[in-house]
Amino acid sequence: MRRFFPLLLLLTAAVHAQTAADLPPADARGDLLIRGATVLTITGGTLENTDIAVREGQIVEIGQGLSAPRGAQVIEAAGLHVMPGIIDAHSHIALSNVNEASNPVVAEVQMGDVTDPTQIGIYRALAGGVTTIHTMHGSANPIGGENETLKLRYGTFDPEDLHFEGAPRTIKFALGENPTRVHGRGRGIRPSTRMGVEQVFRESLTDAQRYRAAQRGAAEQGTTPPPYSRRMETLADIIEGEVLVHCHSYRADEILMLMDVLSDFGVDRITFQHANEAFKIAPELAAWGASASIFSDWWAYKFEVYYSTAFNAAILTRNGVRTSINSDSGELIRHLYHEAAKSQRYGDLSDDEALALITINPAWQLGIDDRVGSIEEGKDADLALFDGHPLSIYTRPVMTIVDGIVRFDAERDGDDMRLDVDPAAEIEDVRLYVHDEDTCLRDAFVF
Amino acid sequence: MADRRFLMRFLTLLLLVLLAFPAQAQDRVIRTEQGTFALLNARIETITNGTIERGTVVLRDGVIEAVGTNVTPPADAQVIDAEGLTLYPGFIDGGTQIGLQEVGSQPETQDYNELGEVTPQMQALTAVNPNSVHFPIARVAGVTAALTSPTGGLMPGTAALVRFHGYTPAQMDTGFRGVALNFPNSARRGAFDRRTDEDIKKQFEEAMERLDETWDQALLFARIDSAGAASGQPQRPAYQPEMEALLPVLRGSAALLVEVNAAADILKALEWLEGRDVRAILTGVAEGWRVADHLATAGLPVITGPVLSMPTRGSDRYDRAYQNAALLRQAGLQVALRTREVENVRNLPFNAGFAVAWGRDLGFDRQAALEAITIAPARMFGVEDQLGSIEVGKAATLFAADGDPFEPSTQVQHLFIDGYQIPIESRQISLYEEFLNRNPGLTR
């Protein structure tokens, strides 16, 4: 009986579908050999019939005829395409709140405090090849809270486990209709116009400059520093380049405005989120060095996105603006590879250029391109496997790997992959999909 | 994909060269012309009669005059060499609000939701704006007709199938009418519907009661109306616009479009429809796969979608919504697809492609998906004599694509609606051409 046991175990594993409880712990780092795949490296071309060796969650070797690291799981990938794990630079999944809308400036709040690692939406994103997401504060305020970059190590109840260690701090800014609607029209306070939005930035950043100067002066002279302000600390850190700005924006003129403001405060890096009209000022964005993180084709849902074009990604790319495509949606995040593919209908981006929109470009925008975003030796083994070319409509994701750990496997995973099941609920809710879920204004109108 | 890339590059280069010479720049005005056209050397996916690998299609007076391998182009025809291109009948979106809304957040531009719970007399066609910027954007993706429907309340109004060409609603009208019924709904709308279970139950029961009352009233109204007509008296029942609008449904000249999504509600709707003599089409049907056997027994046609949507329950497999159309068809149902979109009706072909990617193992192949956005909705809407396939005598509504129209990299090269040649132009394309190499650039 004893010698049949391993065989029996193997059979049981094959028969029983995996549940969320079976997923390895979040701190696990895998050893793998992916064998015989078409490897879309993004930065180093496409390699046919190639192996990827992974040790302790890192890519150690890419080549042909590699031998498996000791004890490594071997994934036979002949006929499969492997690309870097997809990175979503704008997401509101895995969050229990989105907007602290109580003030036009809330730089003191942090999305890392409201990470919810149990949401099924995380698994659904993994099932679309996504491995890293930028969970953002909402767009109710000109200066929102700090965002959090997460790795989708689904299977844990500890929010800390998802945090992308070493990722730079980022903060949410917002221009246009959302802040003027929420504050100006909703609460009768500034800003109610795009003029007001500009002054919120100038006044806040000036206050922060003086706060930091007073701190330094007090330290030098041994006098009492200004009263501690978490808000001022974060704003001063933005000016000092410690916190990357990601700004919700639509119209070309307001994008130009913020570039001018940031230049005046010596800030030289920004990613404009959504930026539906970025294409109109592509030369200015390129000259400034600003980047854009956009939708593939969402538009006309409000007036400031009426004069949009789905050719935005192509125009920006051709003008030298580093561009990513994001989801801002729990639905769309599941097929970002398809959203990237649309840049070949709306423009003529090459396969590598299209895939860069959801890999190396968002990685750069989040300041994590040394770790993820391409398949290179020394980078994290965050990989997405597909049963065909990921830009084809007929292709399905088959496996998603984070830190060398398989966290989605179309073959093995069960139907119900919830982590957090309410044992008291007799009947599960049925929720019909509505288009604008998980978007920027969630929680903003509760008052 | 390499050859295609090269071709695309070449075409873009060609475009840039053209733009560089203002004297030769394209006319920016969208003018459509009806004429006699012969498309030669085309691959033709007829939908209903297989695929012709190399053939000719002749369009004259707005209809398809000839299709086949042995067709001689008429002497008066404008000849288009469709070498390397494939012809498809125009796609039909089975459910949208196109034309009824211009900008999502601007109530001034929204005309799909009239006040009142029971307003079947509200005509979508009345509010369709033929000049909406959304029509050209959708049609250059090959989508040439859509059901556009009022929403909100129990009976929001009468939907119409419109073609995406014409300067008046009448010119866009295909003739199909369906009265929309939002069957009472026990599901939550979206992730942030925070109604209590009791509230949902109460609202459901109230809606059922209102539905039954309305229907009984309509039957009585129809009976009085018929009796009056039979007796030869000109007298009609007291004017009730809601009831007048339900007469075509009761008499079979208009369909009843029953929007229903949660499994329990689908069963309730099937029970409610049993014995009611109407041309019912089920729409939405998001949880149809759960009760596919019941649906199969009832045998009603189904318009489902968007395919690109979320599973309805946390415990559902991640790809359930992608598979719904395939599972319903596997159960033996007639299935059409919809986007439920306004500005992104252009994504209908991608919805069809996703249904194939996740449904092919269940028998939902490319042909099934093509049917679900062509001949299947045409049959459901009773316009299969005009639309839904490339056949002699049907409307000359078709397009030529340089590849599989479900693939994002494919481009539509020629487009005809009722024999009108439609330029491949839209505001989004114009903006591309203007801003790809903006002039002045950085310096004036």
Side-chain angles (χ1 to χ4, degrees), chain A residues 120-121 123-124 127-128 177 181 279-285 287 296-304 306-311 314-315 318-319 330-332 334-335 337-339 341-351 353 387 389 391-397 408-411 413-418 427-439 442-443 446, chain B residues 1 5 8-9 12 101-106 132-134 137 141 185-194 197 261-263 286-287 306-323 340-341 343-344 346-347 349-351 353-354 356-361 366 404-412 427-429 431-433 435-438 440-442:
Chain A
I120 186 67
Y123 180 76
R124 290 172 177 165
E177 288 180 19
R181 179 161 67 143
F279 70 93
K280 293 185 176 174
I281 47 160
E284 285 78 9
L285 286 163
S296 59
D297 61 5
W298 279 12
W299 71 294
Y301 47 90
K302 59 199 318 203
F303 187 69
E304 58 190 350
Y306 187 49
Y307 294 92
S308 301
T309 176
F311 293 83
I315 297 173
R318 287 286 166 266
N319 278 273
E331 195 284 314
L332 219 131
R334 307 176 310 150
H335 44 81
Y337 53 97
H338 168 57
E339 302 310 310
K342 290 176 184 172
S343 66
Q344 300 189 324
R345 172 158 293 186
Y346 309 119
D348 67 337
L349 297 195
S350 69
D351 291 355
E353 285 173 327
D387 65 2
H389 196 289
L391 296 175
S392 166
I393 196 88
Y394 300 113
T395 295
R396 290 193 296 211
F408 160 71
D409 185 340
E411 292 277 308
D413 291 356
D415 286 359
D416 183 358
M417 289 299 285
R418 285 175 302 166
I427 300 170
E428 195 187 348
D429 278 349
V430 182
R431 290 183 186 273
L432 305 179
Y433 170 62
V434 292
H435 192 8
D436 52 354
E437 273 176 23
D438 292 312
T439 50
R442 191 171 126 200
D443 311 330
V446 287
Chain B
M1 296 191 177
R5 287 277 79 72
M8 283 303 304
R9 288 257 159 72
T12 309
Q101 169 181 296
E102 199 62 19
V103 178
S105 69
Q106 301 295 317
S132 168
V133 74
H134 300 306
I137 287 168
N185 171 30
S186 66
R188 288 169 196 278
R189 292 185 185 84
F192 308 109
D193 180 344
R194 296 197 167 95
D197 289 350
N261 286 289
E287 289 202 336
V307 177
L308 293 165
S309 61
M310 298 290 271
T312 47
R313 304 184 194 189
S315 63
D316 284 343
R317 199 174 163 79
Y318 67 95
D319 54 6
R320 275 298 180 227
Y322 296 158
Q323 286 184 333
R340 215 172 48 175
E341 272 284 352
E343 64 271 20
N344 278 333
R346 60 183 169 187
N347 284 341
F350 301 147
N351 276 265
F354 259 67
V356 177
W358 265 268
R360 59 182 176 235
D361 303 339
R366 220 177 135 269
D404 181 339
F406 296 168
E407 285 286 11
S409 56
T410 297
Q411 306 289 333
V412 171
R427 190 165 79 195
Q428 299 220 341
I429 294 170
L431 287 169
Y432 176 54
E433 291 167 358
F435 285 99
L436 180 61
N437 288 294
R438 200 189 72 188
L442 201 54

Side-chain angles (χ1 to χ4, degrees), chain B residues 192-266:
Chain B
F192 308 109
D193 180 344
R194 296 197 167 95
R195 289 177 298 165
T196 64
D197 289 350
E198 288 70 33
D199 279 348
I200 290 175
K201 192 160 178 279
K202 193 161 156 258
Q203 286 169 17
F204 180 85
E205 282 163 3
E206 283 169 2
M208 274 313 300
E209 214 168 295
R210 193 193 293 264
L211 172 59
D212 286 336
E213 273 172 24
T214 305
W215 202 261
D216 289 345
Q217 206 183 341
L219 287 173
L220 182 63
F221 186 87
R223 216 161 59 227
I224 297 170
D225 188 68
S226 301
S231 66
Q233 290 167 2
Q235 202 179 352
R236 300 203 57 210
Y239 181 52
Q240 282 182 276
E242 295 82 4
M243 297 300 119
E244 297 268 355
L246 289 175
L247 283 177
V249 175
L250 296 176
R251 290 171 180 166
S253 64
L256 185 67
L257 301 160
V258 184
E259 175 75 17
V260 62
N261 286 289
D265 301 344
I266 295 170

Side-chain angles (χ1 to χ4, degrees), chain A residues 234-255:
Chain A
T234 303
L235 291 172
D237 291 346
I238 294 169
I239 297 169
E240 291 176 357
E242 296 292 313
V243 184
L244 304 178
V245 179
H246 283 256
C247 186
H248 166 109
S249 57
Y250 290 115
R251 248 167 57 178
D253 54 286
E254 63 190 13
I255 291 172

